[in-house]
Amino acid sequence: MNRLKDNVQKAKIAAGILDRKIYTGPLTVQIDITNSCNSDCVGCWCHSPLLGEIAMTPETKKKFLPYPLVKKLIDDLDDLGVRDIYFTGGGEPFMHPNAVEIMEYVKKKGIRCDMSNNFTLVNEKKAERLVKAGVDNMNCSVWAGSPEAYDRVHPNKTKEAFYRVEHMFKHFYKLKQKYRTNKPTLFIYDVISTLNYDDFENMVEFAFRVKVTGIDFTPTDIVPGKTDVLMLNKEQREWLADKVRNIWPKFHYWERKYNHKIEFRNYDQFLRRLQGNTEKGVYDQSIIGTIPCYAGWTFLRILGDGNVNSCLKSIRIPIGNIYEKSIKEIWMGSRQCTFRKHTIDYDVKDPYFRNIGNMWQREENGCLLCCDNLGLNLATHGGLQKLGPVKRKLVKLARML
Protein backbone atom coordinates (compact mmCIF):
# COMPACT_ATOMS: atom_id res chain seq x y z
CA MET A 1 0.00 0.00 0.00
CA ASN A 2 2.79 2.45 0.88
CA ARG A 3 4.55 1.78 -2.40
CA LEU A 4 1.30 2.50 -4.28
CA LYS A 5 0.87 5.77 -2.38
CA ASP A 6 4.50 6.69 -3.15
CA ASN A 7 4.01 6.08 -6.86
CA VAL A 8 0.72 7.98 -7.01
CA GLN A 9 2.26 10.98 -5.22
CA LYS A 10 5.29 10.99 -7.51
CA ALA A 11 3.03 10.78 -10.56
CA LYS A 12 0.89 13.71 -9.35
CA ILE A 13 4.01 15.78 -8.72
CA ALA A 14 5.39 14.91 -12.16
CA ALA A 15 2.05 15.87 -13.75
CA GLY A 16 2.15 19.16 -11.89
CA ILE A 17 5.66 19.93 -13.11
CA LEU A 18 4.72 19.10 -16.70
CA ASP A 19 1.57 21.25 -16.49
CA ARG A 20 3.12 23.97 -14.31
CA LYS A 21 0.29 23.44 -11.81
CA ILE A 22 -0.17 21.98 -8.32
CA TYR A 23 -2.19 18.78 -7.95
CA THR A 24 -0.87 17.60 -4.61
CA GLY A 25 1.51 18.39 -1.76
CA PRO A 26 5.30 17.93 -1.76
CA LEU A 27 6.98 14.55 -1.64
CA THR A 28 9.32 15.44 1.23
CA VAL A 29 9.02 17.82 4.18
CA GLN A 30 11.84 18.63 6.56
CA ILE A 31 10.84 19.67 10.08
CA ASP A 32 13.10 21.35 12.63
CA ILE A 33 11.24 20.29 15.77
CA THR A 34 13.73 22.10 18.02
CA ASN A 35 16.56 24.64 17.85
CA SER A 36 18.25 23.28 20.96
CA CYS A 37 21.45 21.29 20.57
CA ASN A 38 23.83 19.52 22.93
CA SER A 39 26.79 19.85 20.57
CA ASP A 40 28.84 22.67 19.05
CA CYS A 41 30.13 21.18 15.80
CA VAL A 42 32.73 23.56 14.37
CA GLY A 43 31.07 23.78 10.96
CA CYS A 44 27.53 24.37 12.21
CA TRP A 45 25.74 27.50 10.97
CA CYS A 46 23.93 27.85 14.29
CA HIS A 47 26.07 26.63 17.17
CA SER A 48 29.72 26.67 16.05
CA PRO A 49 32.00 28.44 18.56
CA LEU A 50 33.65 30.11 15.55
CA LEU A 51 30.50 32.14 14.83
CA GLY A 52 30.99 34.47 17.78
CA GLU A 53 28.33 37.18 17.96
CA ILE A 54 26.28 35.78 15.05
CA ALA A 55 25.72 32.35 16.62
CA MET A 56 22.15 31.42 17.43
CA THR A 57 20.99 33.42 20.44
CA PRO A 58 19.93 31.70 23.69
CA GLU A 59 16.37 32.90 23.07
CA THR A 60 16.28 31.38 19.58
CA LYS A 61 17.78 28.14 20.88
CA LYS A 62 14.73 27.74 23.12
CA LYS A 63 12.38 27.64 20.12
CA PHE A 64 10.68 24.31 19.48
CA LEU A 65 7.44 23.06 17.97
CA PRO A 66 5.01 21.83 20.66
CA TYR A 67 3.97 18.18 20.43
CA PRO A 68 0.24 18.87 19.73
CA LEU A 69 1.20 21.28 16.91
CA VAL A 70 3.59 18.74 15.39
CA LYS A 71 0.90 16.04 15.46
CA LYS A 72 -1.56 18.38 13.73
CA LEU A 73 1.12 19.28 11.20
CA ILE A 74 1.79 15.60 10.46
CA ASP A 75 -1.96 15.03 10.00
CA ASP A 76 -2.13 17.92 7.53
CA LEU A 77 0.96 16.72 5.65
CA ASP A 78 -0.59 13.27 5.41
CA ASP A 79 -3.72 14.83 3.88
CA LEU A 80 -1.50 16.60 1.33
CA GLY A 81 0.00 13.26 0.30
CA VAL A 82 3.47 13.84 1.76
CA ARG A 83 5.43 10.58 1.73
CA ASP A 84 8.67 11.47 3.53
CA ILE A 85 9.16 13.49 6.73
CA TYR A 86 12.72 14.36 7.70
CA PHE A 87 13.61 15.64 11.17
CA THR A 88 16.68 17.84 11.48
CA GLY A 89 17.51 21.54 11.38
CA GLY A 90 18.69 24.21 13.77
CA GLY A 91 18.98 21.79 16.66
CA GLU A 92 19.35 18.13 17.60
CA PRO A 93 15.97 16.34 17.11
CA PHE A 94 16.42 14.22 20.24
CA MET A 95 16.59 17.38 22.35
CA HIS A 96 12.82 17.63 21.81
CA PRO A 97 11.03 16.06 24.83
CA ASN A 98 8.66 14.12 22.54
CA ALA A 99 11.08 13.23 19.74
CA VAL A 100 10.51 9.48 19.81
CA GLU A 101 6.73 9.85 20.16
CA ILE A 102 6.72 12.16 17.12
CA MET A 103 8.67 9.66 15.03
CA GLU A 104 6.39 6.84 16.13
CA TYR A 105 3.39 8.93 15.09
CA VAL A 106 4.84 9.48 11.60
CA LYS A 107 5.21 5.72 11.16
CA LYS A 108 1.64 5.10 12.36
CA LYS A 109 0.56 7.32 9.46
CA GLY A 110 2.47 5.11 7.02
CA ILE A 111 4.84 7.94 6.10
CA ARG A 112 8.57 7.41 5.64
CA CYS A 113 10.48 8.75 8.68
CA ASP A 114 14.01 10.01 8.19
CA MET A 115 16.29 12.23 10.25
CA SER A 116 19.66 13.80 10.88
CA ASN A 117 21.06 13.63 14.40
CA ASN A 118 24.41 13.62 16.18
CA PHE A 119 23.75 10.17 17.70
CA THR A 120 24.87 11.21 21.19
CA LEU A 121 21.39 11.25 22.79
CA VAL A 122 20.16 7.89 21.52
CA ASN A 123 20.22 5.41 24.38
CA GLU A 124 19.37 1.71 24.32
CA LYS A 125 15.71 2.27 25.26
CA LYS A 126 15.17 4.84 22.53
CA ALA A 127 16.99 2.67 20.03
CA GLU A 128 14.63 -0.24 20.68
CA ARG A 129 11.57 1.99 20.25
CA LEU A 130 12.92 3.36 16.97
CA VAL A 131 13.57 -0.12 15.63
CA LYS A 132 10.14 -1.38 16.72
CA ALA A 133 8.42 1.66 15.19
CA GLY A 134 10.06 0.96 11.84
CA VAL A 135 11.79 4.33 11.53
CA ASP A 136 13.25 4.24 8.05
CA ASN A 137 16.61 6.00 8.15
CA MET A 138 18.98 7.93 10.41
CA ASN A 139 21.75 10.16 9.04
CA CYS A 140 24.21 10.41 11.89
CA SER A 141 26.63 13.35 11.97
CA VAL A 142 29.88 12.05 13.40
CA TRP A 143 32.51 13.95 11.35
CA ALA A 144 35.30 11.64 12.52
CA GLY A 145 36.66 8.12 12.33
CA SER A 146 38.86 8.38 15.40
CA PRO A 147 38.45 9.82 18.92
CA GLU A 148 41.19 12.37 18.21
CA ALA A 149 39.40 13.82 15.17
CA TYR A 150 36.06 13.71 17.00
CA ASP A 151 37.57 15.79 19.78
CA ARG A 152 38.79 18.38 17.25
CA VAL A 153 35.48 18.92 15.46
CA HIS A 154 33.22 18.81 18.53
CA PRO A 155 34.86 21.17 21.07
CA ASN A 156 32.36 20.41 23.86
CA LYS A 157 32.64 16.65 23.44
CA THR A 158 35.26 14.20 24.66
CA LYS A 159 36.92 11.12 23.24
CA GLU A 160 34.68 9.10 25.54
CA ALA A 161 31.65 10.47 23.65
CA PHE A 162 33.10 9.00 20.47
CA TYR A 163 33.34 5.57 22.08
CA ARG A 164 29.74 5.84 23.25
CA VAL A 165 28.62 6.66 19.71
CA GLU A 166 30.57 3.62 18.51
CA HIS A 167 28.82 1.45 21.09
CA MET A 168 25.35 2.66 20.03
CA PHE A 169 26.01 1.93 16.37
CA LYS A 170 26.95 -1.63 17.29
CA HIS A 171 23.89 -1.88 19.55
CA PHE A 172 21.60 -0.85 16.70
CA TYR A 173 23.13 -3.54 14.52
CA LYS A 174 22.37 -6.18 17.17
CA LEU A 175 18.82 -4.87 17.63
CA LYS A 176 18.10 -5.09 13.93
CA GLN A 177 19.39 -8.64 13.90
CA LYS A 178 17.21 -9.45 16.92
CA TYR A 179 14.05 -8.12 15.26
CA ARG A 180 15.06 -9.34 11.78
CA THR A 181 14.77 -5.95 10.14
CA ASN A 182 16.99 -3.63 8.17
CA LYS A 183 15.33 -0.52 9.60
CA PRO A 184 16.42 2.01 10.42
CA THR A 185 19.18 2.16 7.85
CA LEU A 186 22.08 4.09 9.39
CA PHE A 187 24.30 6.42 7.37
CA ILE A 188 27.29 8.19 8.89
CA TYR A 189 27.41 11.77 7.61
CA ASP A 190 30.83 13.41 7.66
CA VAL A 191 31.32 17.11 6.97
CA ILE A 192 34.90 17.55 5.82
CA SER A 193 37.07 20.47 6.90
CA THR A 194 40.69 21.35 7.59
CA LEU A 195 40.28 19.75 11.04
CA ASN A 196 39.33 16.26 9.89
CA TYR A 197 40.09 15.74 6.17
CA ASP A 198 43.17 13.68 7.06
CA ASP A 199 40.89 11.30 9.00
CA PHE A 200 39.06 10.22 5.83
CA GLU A 201 40.28 6.61 5.71
CA ASN A 202 39.56 6.18 9.43
CA MET A 203 36.00 7.42 8.75
CA VAL A 204 35.47 4.79 6.09
CA GLU A 205 36.88 1.97 8.20
CA PHE A 206 34.83 3.15 11.19
CA ALA A 207 31.66 2.72 9.11
CA PHE A 208 32.65 -0.87 8.37
CA ARG A 209 33.63 -1.55 11.98
CA VAL A 210 30.28 -0.46 13.42
CA LYS A 211 28.36 -2.11 10.55
CA VAL A 212 26.24 0.84 9.43
CA THR A 213 24.43 0.95 6.09
CA GLY A 214 26.71 3.50 4.52
CA ILE A 215 28.67 6.74 4.56
CA ASP A 216 28.10 10.18 3.10
CA PHE A 217 30.62 13.03 2.76
CA THR A 218 30.40 16.73 1.95
CA PRO A 219 32.91 19.60 2.20
CA THR A 220 32.03 22.20 4.82
CA ASP A 221 29.63 24.96 3.77
CA ILE A 222 31.22 28.05 5.27
CA VAL A 223 29.86 31.18 6.92
CA PRO A 224 31.96 33.95 5.31
CA GLY A 225 34.22 35.76 7.73
CA LYS A 226 33.64 33.19 10.47
CA THR A 227 34.25 29.59 9.44
CA ASP A 228 36.50 30.21 6.41
CA VAL A 229 39.37 28.58 8.29
CA LEU A 230 37.57 25.24 7.87
CA MET A 231 37.58 25.32 4.07
CA LEU A 232 40.11 23.06 2.35
CA ASN A 233 42.72 24.77 0.22
CA LYS A 234 43.68 23.51 -3.23
CA GLU A 235 46.45 21.21 -2.01
CA GLN A 236 44.22 19.67 0.68
CA ARG A 237 41.39 19.12 -1.80
CA GLU A 238 43.71 17.47 -4.29
CA TRP A 239 45.19 15.23 -1.58
CA LEU A 240 41.74 14.19 -0.41
CA ALA A 241 40.37 13.71 -3.93
CA ASP A 242 43.25 11.31 -4.59
CA LYS A 243 42.39 9.39 -1.41
CA VAL A 244 38.72 9.21 -2.45
CA ARG A 245 39.50 7.97 -5.97
CA ASN A 246 41.85 5.30 -4.64
CA ILE A 247 39.79 4.13 -1.65
CA TRP A 248 38.34 1.07 -3.40
CA PRO A 249 41.11 -1.50 -2.73
CA LYS A 250 40.90 -0.70 1.00
CA PHE A 251 37.11 -0.56 0.75
CA HIS A 252 37.02 -4.15 -0.50
CA TYR A 253 39.63 -5.21 2.06
CA TRP A 254 37.44 -3.89 4.88
CA GLU A 255 34.44 -5.66 3.39
CA ARG A 256 36.28 -8.93 3.88
CA LYS A 257 37.81 -8.00 7.23
CA TYR A 258 34.50 -7.00 8.85
CA ASN A 259 32.27 -9.31 6.78
CA HIS A 260 30.07 -6.35 5.99
CA LYS A 261 29.20 -4.17 2.99
CA ILE A 262 28.45 -0.46 3.09
CA GLU A 263 27.25 2.09 0.54
CA PHE A 264 29.40 5.09 -0.35
CA ARG A 265 26.49 7.46 -0.98
CA ASN A 266 26.93 10.51 -3.22
CA TYR A 267 30.48 9.42 -4.13
CA ASP A 268 30.42 11.23 -7.49
CA GLN A 269 28.94 14.40 -5.99
CA PHE A 270 31.55 14.53 -3.23
CA LEU A 271 34.41 14.03 -5.69
CA ARG A 272 32.97 16.68 -8.02
CA ARG A 273 32.82 19.18 -5.16
CA LEU A 274 36.44 18.48 -4.26
CA GLN A 275 37.64 18.87 -7.83
CA GLY A 276 35.67 21.99 -8.74
CA ASN A 277 36.52 25.67 -8.41
CA THR A 278 35.83 25.79 -4.70
CA GLU A 279 38.30 28.31 -3.24
CA LYS A 280 35.35 30.35 -1.90
CA GLY A 281 33.11 27.42 -1.08
CA VAL A 282 31.27 27.63 -4.42
CA TYR A 283 30.79 23.89 -4.77
CA ASP A 284 27.88 23.52 -7.20
CA GLN A 285 28.50 26.18 -9.86
CA SER A 286 29.18 23.58 -12.54
CA ILE A 287 25.74 21.97 -12.23
CA ILE A 288 23.30 24.60 -10.94
CA GLY A 289 21.30 25.94 -13.86
CA THR A 290 21.93 22.94 -16.10
CA ILE A 291 18.58 21.52 -14.96
CA PRO A 292 15.45 23.17 -13.53
CA CYS A 293 14.93 23.34 -9.78
CA TYR A 294 11.91 21.24 -8.81
CA ALA A 295 11.92 22.09 -5.08
CA GLY A 296 8.72 24.12 -5.49
CA TRP A 297 6.86 20.90 -6.29
CA THR A 298 8.78 18.35 -4.22
CA PHE A 299 9.86 19.95 -0.94
CA LEU A 300 9.14 22.15 2.09
CA ARG A 301 11.06 22.96 5.26
CA ILE A 302 9.44 24.01 8.54
CA LEU A 303 11.64 25.72 11.13
CA GLY A 304 11.54 25.60 14.90
CA ASP A 305 9.86 29.02 15.04
CA GLY A 306 7.11 27.92 12.65
CA ASN A 307 8.50 29.65 9.55
CA VAL A 308 8.20 27.69 6.31
CA ASN A 309 10.89 27.71 3.61
CA SER A 310 10.62 26.56 0.01
CA CYS A 311 14.06 24.92 -0.02
CA LEU A 312 16.90 24.23 2.39
CA LYS A 313 18.71 27.47 1.54
CA SER A 314 15.77 29.92 1.31
CA ILE A 315 15.83 30.84 4.99
CA ARG A 316 15.84 34.59 4.23
CA ILE A 317 12.58 34.43 2.27
CA PRO A 318 10.04 32.41 4.32
CA ILE A 319 6.72 31.76 2.58
CA GLY A 320 4.56 31.64 5.73
CA ASN A 321 4.31 30.48 9.33
CA ILE A 322 2.33 27.50 10.63
CA TYR A 323 1.26 29.50 13.71
CA GLU A 324 -0.61 31.84 11.35
CA LYS A 325 -1.80 29.66 8.45
CA SER A 326 -2.27 25.98 7.69
CA ILE A 327 0.49 24.22 5.81
CA LYS A 328 -1.90 23.69 2.88
CA GLU A 329 -2.60 27.44 2.65
CA ILE A 330 1.13 28.15 2.70
CA TRP A 331 1.85 25.47 0.07
CA MET A 332 -0.76 26.96 -2.25
CA GLY A 333 0.05 30.58 -1.38
CA SER A 334 1.42 33.39 -3.52
CA ARG A 335 4.96 33.32 -2.06
CA GLN A 336 5.40 29.65 -2.88
CA CYS A 337 3.98 30.28 -6.36
CA THR A 338 6.61 32.99 -6.82
CA PHE A 339 9.34 30.56 -5.80
CA ARG A 340 8.07 27.97 -8.30
CA LYS A 341 7.97 30.55 -11.10
CA HIS A 342 11.62 31.52 -10.60
CA THR A 343 13.01 28.04 -10.03
CA ILE A 344 11.33 25.90 -12.69
CA ASP A 345 12.73 28.14 -15.47
CA TYR A 346 16.07 28.44 -13.76
CA ASP A 347 18.28 31.38 -14.72
CA VAL A 348 21.51 31.63 -12.72
CA LYS A 349 21.55 35.40 -13.34
CA ASP A 350 18.09 35.94 -11.86
CA PRO A 351 18.48 38.42 -8.92
CA TYR A 352 15.85 36.42 -7.00
CA PHE A 353 18.54 33.88 -6.13
CA ARG A 354 20.60 36.47 -4.27
CA ASN A 355 18.18 35.75 -1.43
CA ILE A 356 19.24 32.10 -1.32
CA GLY A 357 21.88 30.96 1.17
CA ASN A 358 22.34 31.16 4.91
CA MET A 359 21.84 34.45 6.73
CA TRP A 360 25.42 35.60 6.14
CA GLN A 361 26.04 34.48 2.57
CA ARG A 362 25.74 37.34 0.08
CA GLU A 363 26.89 35.87 -3.22
CA GLU A 364 25.19 36.83 -6.49
CA ASN A 365 23.48 33.44 -6.49
CA GLY A 366 23.45 31.51 -3.22
CA CYS A 367 22.43 28.28 -4.96
CA LEU A 368 25.93 28.00 -6.42
CA LEU A 369 27.53 27.62 -2.99
CA CYS A 370 26.14 24.27 -1.91
CA CYS A 371 22.63 23.21 -2.94
CA ASP A 372 21.25 20.89 -0.27
CA ASN A 373 18.26 20.05 -2.51
CA LEU A 374 20.51 18.95 -5.36
CA GLY A 375 20.08 15.22 -4.76
CA LEU A 376 16.29 15.40 -4.86
CA ASN A 377 16.41 17.69 -7.90
CA LEU A 378 18.66 15.29 -9.80
CA ALA A 379 16.44 12.32 -8.92
CA THR A 380 13.31 14.19 -10.04
CA HIS A 381 14.96 15.33 -13.26
CA GLY A 382 16.18 11.84 -14.02
CA GLY A 383 12.69 10.44 -13.52
CA LEU A 384 11.13 13.03 -15.81
CA GLN A 385 13.74 12.40 -18.51
CA LYS A 386 12.75 8.73 -18.59
CA LEU A 387 9.10 9.48 -19.35
CA GLY A 388 8.15 8.49 -22.88
CA PRO A 389 4.88 9.62 -24.54
CA VAL A 390 2.83 6.75 -23.06
CA LYS A 391 4.20 7.23 -19.55
CA ARG A 392 3.58 10.97 -19.77
CA LYS A 393 -0.08 10.29 -20.52
CA LEU A 394 -0.31 7.91 -17.56
CA VAL A 395 1.39 10.48 -15.32
CA LYS A 396 -1.10 13.15 -16.33
CA LEU A 397 -4.00 10.77 -15.64
CA ALA A 398 -2.68 10.50 -12.06
CA ARG A 399 -3.68 14.13 -11.42
CA MET A 400 -7.31 12.95 -11.32
CA LEU A 401 -6.71 10.47 -8.49
Side-chain angles (χ1 to χ4, degrees):
M1 179 60 73
N2 284 344
R3 180 171 293 182
L4 175 61
K5 288 183 177 180
D6 290 349
N7 290 335
V8 170
Q9 183 70 352
K10 289 177 181 178
K12 285 184 177 182
I13 290 171
I17 293 170
L18 294 173
D19 293 343
R20 305 295 175 93
K21 295 181 179 179
I22 292 297
Y23 299 121
T24 189
L27 183 69
T28 300
V29 173
Q30 181 168 307
I31 307 175
D32 301 11
I33 52 177
T34 179
N35 285 338
S36 181
C37 192
N38 66 322
S39 190
D40 60 352
C41 308
V42 290
C44 180
W45 292 358
C46 303
H47 307 287
S48 170
L50 299 176
L51 294 176
E53 76 283 359
I54 66 170
M56 186 178 284
T57 65
E59 182 179 349
T60 304
K61 286 182 181 181
K62 294 177 183 178
K63 299 283 186 181
F64 73 101
L65 299 177
Y67 183 42
L69 178 64
V70 176
K71 287 186 69 177
K72 175 64 166 58
L73 176 61
I74 292 169
D75 289 339
D76 291 344
L77 294 175
D78 185 36
D79 290 342
L80 278 172
V82 171
R83 302 305 304 144
D84 189 346
I85 294 179
Y86 192 106
F87 297 106
T88 182
E92 161 60 39
F94 288 104
M95 289 291 285
H96 194 289
N98 303 105
V100 177
E101 289 91 341
I102 290 170
M103 294 165 192
E104 289 171 334
Y105 191 69
V106 170
K107 291 312 303 174
K108 286 178 182 178
K109 288 286 184 179
I111 300 173
R112 176 177 167 82
C113 184
D114 203 341
M115 76 186 79
S116 288
N117 70 101
N118 62 37
F119 217 62
T120 63
L121 296 178
V122 183
N123 56 32
E124 294 184 358
K125 183 178 179 180
K126 289 178 181 177
E128 186 146 14
R129 288 178 64 182
L130 294 170
V131 171
K132 285 184 174 180
V135 166
D136 295 274
N137 182 64
M138 299 174 70
N139 292 312
C140 310
S141 290
V142 179
W143 299 19
S146 65
E148 293 77 19
Y150 191 82
D151 189 45
R152 292 196 298 269
V153 296
H154 305 93
N156 71 341
K157 292 288 184 287
T158 63
K159 295 178 181 178
E160 287 69 29
F162 177 82
Y163 292 123
R164 184 180 180 281
V165 166
E166 182 174 1
H167 165 75
M168 284 309 305
F169 277 127
K170 293 177 178 178
H171 183 70
F172 258 98
Y173 181 75
K174 292 177 182 178
L175 277 177
K176 291 194 291 183
Q177 285 186 313
K178 174 182 175 181
Y179 291 105
R180 298 182 179 180
T181 180
N182 65 348
K183 293 184 179 180
T185 51
L186 299 176
F187 279 83
I188 293 178
Y189 185 69
D190 288 312
V191 176
I192 300 300
S193 71
T194 53
L195 297 180
N196 65 355
Y197 77 99
D198 57 347
D199 206 45
F200 168 72
E201 290 184 355
N202 288 331
M203 294 175 187
V204 179
E205 184 176 9
F206 178 72
F208 278 104
R209 189 165 73 244
V210 298
K211 297 184 184 296
V212 293
T213 310
I215 48 175
D216 200 344
F217 295 90
T218 189
T220 188
D221 192 8
I222 65 165
V223 176
K226 295 296 181 181
T227 61
D228 313 69
V229 67
L230 300 176
M231 188 168 53
L232 302 182
N233 61 34
K234 182 179 179 181
E235 291 74 22
Q236 291 166 332
R237 292 198 316 274
E238 289 177 348
W239 180 90
L240 181 55
D242 184 65
K243 290 288 184 182
V244 174
R245 284 190 297 267
N246 293 292
I247 193 63
W248 299 111
K250 290 185 177 180
F251 203 90
H252 298 314
Y253 167 74
W254 290 321
E255 283 182 349
R256 297 189 298 271
K257 178 179 179 179
Y258 296 103
N259 191 28
H260 182 72
K261 293 182 180 293
I262 66 170
E263 177 187 349
F264 195 140
R265 192 164 60 179
N266 293 326
Y267 171 86
D268 291 333
Q269 180 172 297
F270 179 51
L271 196 56
R272 175 182 59 77
R273 285 176 169 173
L274 289 175
Q275 294 174 324
N277 180 23
T278 59
E279 288 296 337
K280 295 183 179 180
V282 183
Y283 299 115
D284 292 331
Q285 187 169 13
S286 65
I287 194 167
I288 297 298
T290 63
I291 64 171
C293 173
Y294 303 104
W297 277 263
T298 62
F299 184 84
L300 276 182
R301 180 184 182 186
I302 300 158
L303 306 184
D305 61 2
N307 273 348
V308 182
N309 295 144
S310 303
C311 75
L312 285 165
K313 292 296 181 69
S314 63
I315 191 169
R316 300 203 301 269
I317 46 173
I319 58 172
N321 190 290
I322 59 172
Y323 285 103
E324 300 168 1
K325 292 183 179 180
S326 72
I327 196 64
K328 183 175 182 179
E329 289 177 292
I330 295 170
W331 175 248
M332 301 298 294
S334 60
R335 294 181 184 178
Q336 179 68 353
C337 289
T338 298
F339 179 85
R340 292 188 189 106
K341 179 181 177 181
H342 285 280
T343 53
I344 195 65
D345 295 315
Y346 201 96
D347 179 358
V348 293
K349 296 181 180 179
D350 186 343
Y352 180 83
F353 299 114
R354 294 174 186 173
N355 296 310
I356 303 297
N358 69 40
M359 298 299 289
W360 310 279
Q361 290 170 326
R362 293 291 188 269
E363 298 291 331
E364 286 190 10
N365 182 331
C367 305
L368 305 178
L369 296 168
C370 190
C371 175
D372 290 338
N373 285 87
L374 184 57
L376 184 55
N377 275 338
L378 289 171
T380 303
H381 188 70
L384 290 170
Q385 294 297 106
K386 293 177 182 178
L387 293 178
V390 175
K391 286 187 177 180
R392 283 181 179 248
K393 288 182 179 179
L394 292 173
V395 161
K396 289 196 173 187
L397 285 174
R399 65 192 175 197
M400 303 177 192
L401 297 176

